Amino acid sequence: MTKTVNDYITGLSGVPADVAKRLHDAILAVGGLTDIVKWGHPVYDAGGAVCLLKGTKDSVTFGFWRGADMLDLDPRMEKGGGKGDMAYIRLR
């Protein structure tokens, strides 16, 4: 059985569940993005991966594939580890 983004969000609890649901709805409201569970968490695509959500025990990581280009837009943005240009914000 394929897990959907709604299944993923339903599997979260507490504040991360609320944050993920609100963020998911806001991302889809923008338009032009499709959602899929890929690599175990929700990924939003527009002809290529744009952003992702990853629920943890007490927060949601909101990551951006080209986030390294946006580090100066928000002081909460952190550079991801590794070789890529991923960056993220932890939301609580």
Side-chain angles (χ1 to χ4, degrees):
M1 181 177 147
T2 302
K3 188 175 189 178
T4 68
V5 172
N6 286 328
D7 293 337
Y8 180 93
I9 293 170
T10 300
L12 299 174
S13 61
V15 171
D18 181 51
V19 170
K21 173 69 173 133
R22 291 172 46 197
L23 191 53
H24 171 73
D25 292 345
I27 292 168
L28 292 182
V30 168
L33 294 168
T34 58
D35 62 336
I36 187 169
V37 174
K38 199 175 216 182
W39 305 297
H41 49 267
V43 172
Y44 300 85
D45 186 279
V50 174
C51 59
L52 62 88
L53 301 180
K54 184 176 181 183
T56 67
K57 181 180 175 182
D58 62 352
S59 68
V60 173
T61 299
F62 184 27
F64 303 88
W65 258 261
R66 307 209 29 119
D69 296 333
M70 301 185 292
L71 290 173
D72 59 342
L73 296 177
D74 191 306
R76 299 173 296 171
M77 191 78 86
E78 300 178 45
K79 176 82 171 87
K83 299 178 187 177
D85 56 358
M86 179 73 81
Y88 60 89
I89 296 174
R90 289 190 200 279
L91 302 170
R92 292 183 172 87

